[in-house]
Amino acid sequence: MTEMMKRIVQARRPNGFPVAEDFRLEEVPLPQPAEGEILVQVTHLSLDPYMRGRMDDVASYTAPQELDQTMGGGAVGRVLESRSDRFAPGDLVFGMFGWASHGVLPAKACRKLDPDLPPSTALGVLGMPGFTAWSGLEAYGKLKAGETLAVAAATGPVGSMVGQLARLKGLRAVGIAGGAQKQALLTERFGFDAAIDHRAHGDARAMRTALAEACPDGIDVYFENVGGAVTGGALPLMNLHGRIIVCGMIAWYSGETDETGAMPLQKIWRMALVKRLTIQGLLQTDHVARFGDFLREVTPLVKSGQIAYLEDVAEGLENTPAAFFSMLRGGNTGKQVVKL
């Protein structure tokens, strides 16, 4: 009898914010590894904002998600069968197995996990999100002790890492997140110097006032994760020779129009000119050659507790789309993973 596995595929292109009908849960035959490949049973899969962009058939920095194929994404799991000397059955590994119960990949495309850490950390604090934060600051932050850094979506895996790394280098870290609970987490768990609840400040003018109070010396580094009113409030506070690292704009990923943060283009460019700002787009794929450096530096900090992390765990492959929708609306607290 043929062994089966479960997976979630993208059934159609979304029209605006994605809905349940854009996905389909199905059973397919369990794949068999070829020479040099491994078969893995997935234990945890990752949900990340970039996945929303791949759902649209538009030109971007990565290929669109194929319809009727397993939704792509990082996952961790246990090796069931190995046809490579890199791994043995029972090893815990990371790979791009997607939204599925099982997967087959070339062994060289997978990474063995540290057995002294929960495997899910390879999806967040010691995975792509954590590396995104580290590589962006290393490449473009030009951090100097005594400066001020501001970051939105700050309880997420990227934002929380950004703030903690900045504080370790002697900067004042100001975090922005949605809701009083997340605001408290920023100072109490992640050690930010100040925290702002963006839900209490509904437009760019109110955000600017709140940020000005939290950043009395202005902002030297703004790590952009959100867009919208947060960006409209932060830009006017940028200091001379400030650095803006553009990592994401989750508020606009589904084509939403947000006039609360609107700023005329000519005003933005004039601000960049007068303040001699550096505005740099960040894709972690440009820096993958340094992933080993990241692990060597940050893994000991995670093990010692100097870098804290938080995970929001949904359970069951069938609940993955609902967890994805919640994440896109900011409903998660910490790195969003799904436990199978």
Side-chain angles (χ1 to χ4, degrees):
M1 184 175 180
T2 302
E3 290 188 78
M4 305 296 284
M5 60 167 277
K6 293 182 178 181
R7 68 177 186 174
I8 293 177
V9 304
Q10 183 174 339
R12 65 183 188 185
R13 302 293 177 197
N15 181 17
F17 194 88
V19 295
E21 290 74 19
D22 297 328
F23 301 99
R24 184 174 66 251
L25 175 66
E26 60 184 29
E27 282 197 347
V28 294
L30 189 71
Q32 298 302 307
E35 189 65 31
E37 295 183 332
I38 56 174
L39 169 66
V40 169
Q41 181 174 9
V42 172
T43 61
H44 298 79
L45 62 87
S46 178
L47 296 180
D48 301 285
Y50 79 84
M51 295 172 175
R52 173 60 189 89
R54 292 195 67 232
M55 292 182 71
D56 295 323
D57 188 10
V58 296
S60 185
Y61 57 84
T62 187
Q65 168 68 39
E66 292 185 55
L67 295 181
D68 302 315
Q69 298 298 319
T70 305
M71 277 290 294
V76 295
R78 195 171 298 278
V79 175
L80 295 180
E81 183 180 346
S82 175
R83 299 192 62 185
S84 165
D85 58 9
R86 290 172 179 254
F87 300 105
D91 285 345
L92 289 170
V93 300
F94 167 87
M96 299 300 287
F97 298 106
W99 296 12
S101 63
H102 298 75
V104 164
L105 283 176
K108 63 183 181 181
C110 300
R111 181 174 84 252
K112 186 177 290 189
L113 303 186
D114 188 327
D116 295 329
L117 286 165
S120 56
T121 57
L123 304 177
V125 65
L126 292 174
M128 180 273 290
F131 178 63
T132 297
W134 181 90
S135 62
L137 294 181
E138 285 284 309
Y140 312 125
K142 301 178 183 178
L143 305 184
K144 303 180 186 69
E147 291 187 328
T148 296
L149 174 144
V151 57
T155 60
V158 176
S160 60
M161 178 70 81
V162 165
Q164 292 179 91
L165 290 174
R167 291 200 78 245
L168 287 173
K169 292 184 180 294
L171 281 78
R172 177 176 175 81
V174 177
I176 305 154
Q181 179 188 8
K182 291 183 178 181
Q183 185 181 18
L185 281 171
L186 287 174
T187 54
E188 295 171 8
R189 185 180 184 93
F190 296 119
F192 280 69
D193 296 285
I196 297 170
D197 174 8
H198 70 75
R199 292 178 184 169
H201 308 283
D203 58 27
R205 184 183 297 273
M207 275 303 309
R208 179 180 179 180
T209 299
L211 278 167
E213 292 177 2
C215 307
D217 297 322
I219 299 172
D220 298 289
V221 182
Y222 175 53
F223 201 101
E224 171 68 284
N225 283 325
V226 172
V230 176
T231 301
L235 288 180
L237 300 177
M238 295 301 300
N239 287 332
L240 195 67
H241 299 298
R243 287 82 73 197
I244 299 174
I245 301 171
V246 183
C247 177
M249 293 158 286
I250 194 170
W252 297 323
Y253 278 172
S254 294
E256 297 91 340
T257 300
D258 180 6
E259 298 300 331
T260 63
M263 182 178 291
L265 185 59
Q266 61 267 32
K267 187 173 181 180
I268 296 174
W269 287 129
R270 177 164 178 77
M271 196 178 300
L273 169 65
V274 171
K275 295 188 177 182
R276 278 84 92 195
L277 301 178
T278 299
I279 303 173
Q280 174 68 54
L282 166 63
L283 292 180
Q284 57 88 21
T285 49
D286 292 338
H287 307 279
V288 290
R290 297 205 63 195
F291 192 81
D293 297 333
F294 159 70
L295 288 180
R296 281 186 287 274
E297 178 182 328
V298 178
T299 299
L301 298 174
V302 173
K303 288 184 174 181
S304 69
Q306 290 176 271
I307 293 288
Y309 68 94
L310 189 63
E311 295 177 345
D312 196 325
V313 182
E315 296 205 11
L317 181 64
E318 67 280 7
N319 294 318
T320 302
F324 182 58
F325 306 150
S326 176
M327 179 202 66
L328 291 177
R329 292 191 170 102
N332 59 305
T333 302
K335 166 63 187 171
Q336 182 66 66
V337 301
V338 178
K339 181 180 179 181
L340 274 59

